[in-house]
Amino acid sequence: QVGQLGDTMGNDVFIVGGFVRDFLLGEENQDLDFVVEGDGIAFAQALNEIIQGRLTIHEKFGTATIQLPDKRTLDVVTARREYYEYPAAMPQVEKSSIWSDLFRRDFTINAMAIQLNKSKFGQLIDYFGGIQDLEDKNIRVLYNLSFVEDPTRIFRAIRFSTRLNFNIEDETKTFIHEAIKDGMLDRLSAERLREEILNTILEKNIQENILSLDRFKVLEIIHPKLQASQANVEKLQTLKETINYFRTYESRPDEIEVVLIVLMHLLSDLNEHDLVESLNKLIANKGNYSKIKETLENRKIIYEQLKQEDLNSYDLYQLLNQFSLESIIYYYNDCDHSYVKHYLLFYVLKLKEIHVEISGEDLIKLGIKPGPIFRIVLERVLEEKVKGNIYRREEEIQF
Ligand code: ATP
């Protein structure tokens, strides 16, 4: 349909970028990026008439996005002819629009296109050796100053290399080191840097990404004392399994915020002062900030308490009730002591969801006058519930 429309409107149309890369790798990719030589916006409007998605136009950039009902997105970009000045007194060279569009891209494997017009349908356009790099499993930039032009590509290189299990090609690696050494990451806003680091950490193989960020000295930018210590990396290796284990017991397994648990591990060697400095750079959300800080600050006390043999369920409840599920999972993954693990699991399986069902209104109905007594009564009811002496609402009222 896209190619046909291109023919009708007299535009050359290509599918480009991630889709082409993944198609050649035999992987699925739901994000379709089209490049249109000509008026991309008019093309997107006509295309949307046919496919009836939700069209958003970005006039300023000559781009448009169509959201399909099945959640796929379809981006349409306008490609323009541009003139490139070559050194050594060569004349200005006019390049085809698709060349110019692909030349702006990050890596050779992301800079290929497939033409969709009928007469050239399926023709692969690979100006920069993308196919070779796919075969050799290389992440390679198109030109030396690529990371200077857009330092977020540093994170993209790390992400693609772990996601696809590719190498960052040697010269590209050198460009990354140079860009970081020259302070290019300082040019990103705090928010952008945070977003890129966290996205990179969470990509597929967490410990690989963290080691990579460490090797390129990006962790040092967060805090000079921050590094991927062997102990932490080992813990991160078991984390995925631990999270999956807890997910099987959770009614809302997708709500576990993996990034918080990862950061707890990554930051666990820092002293209080360094921890606060690192958190200031990494976390904007106040709730998440205190979750991490409190979990780490209380770690030693919690382990000491949980190493006791004869902890009753109400003591356990009171000890852990103030912590989020992410904290509990962190403690479980961090501490190897069998009692500690046992108590944490017991808390999640049996105690975490317990709460008092009766309220102040019920107490008034029972003839109790409002006042501090309310809290004492409700707490006693909670204690009995946690200890397993009462279960239902009626039993709470009777008690
Ligand atoms: P995925 O969506 O699976 O993470 P992708 O390659 O589709 O991978 P996008 O971020 O959707 O990644 O980008 C689409 C395409 O846009 C890329 O394949 C690349 O050609 C280009 N691109 C994206 N970000 C940049 C960038 N910072 N610099 C240059 N080109 C970029």
Side-chain angles (χ1 to χ4, degrees), residues 287-305:
N288 288 340
Y289 184 105
S290 13
K291 259 188 206 172
I292 298 179
K293 187 164 174 282
E294 279 157 29
T295 304
L296 292 177
E297 281 173 359
N298 285 294
R299 186 169 42 151
K300 293 229 165 68
I301 302 170
I302 294 288
Y303 295 164
E304 251 164 53
Q305 297 282 328

Side-chain angles (χ1 to χ4, degrees), residues 373-386:
I373 184 80
F374 268 34
R375 213 173 57 90
I376 298 169
V377 172
L378 292 174
E379 235 168 69
R380 280 286 294 122
V381 173
L382 177 65
E383 182 176 345
E384 289 306 306
K385 273 196 112 169
V386 171

Side-chain angles (χ1 to χ4, degrees), residues 107-110 129-141 160-161 164-170 172:
F107 310 115
T108 57
I109 58 164
N110 287 343
I131 285 277
Q132 189 64 48
D133 282 329
L134 271 187
E135 274 171 21
D136 299 343
K137 294 177 176 279
N138 269 336
I139 307 290
R140 183 198 305 271
V141 280
F160 282 117
S161 81
L164 303 173
N165 203 9
F166 277 28
N167 282 318
I168 301 177
E169 174 273 330
D170 282 348
T172 300

Side-chain angles (χ1 to χ4, degrees), residues 16-22 28-33 75 101-107 109-112 143 146 149-153 156 159-160 163 192 196 203:
V16 297
F19 177 87
V20 178
R21 177 198 68 225
D22 289 341
E28 219 181 296
N29 188 322
Q30 302 280 27
D31 293 334
L32 307 177
D33 293 326
D75 286 307
D101 180 89
L102 294 175
F103 187 61
R104 279 199 213 94
R105 292 173 185 266
D106 48 4
F107 310 115
I109 58 164
N110 287 343
M112 291 183 278
Y143 47 93
S146 188
E149 199 168 275
D150 178 357
T152 66
R153 291 175 186 162
R156 291 179 61 85
R159 288 205 285 270
F160 282 117
R163 188 192 313 175
R192 194 70 204 267
E196 291 291 342
E203 179 82 40

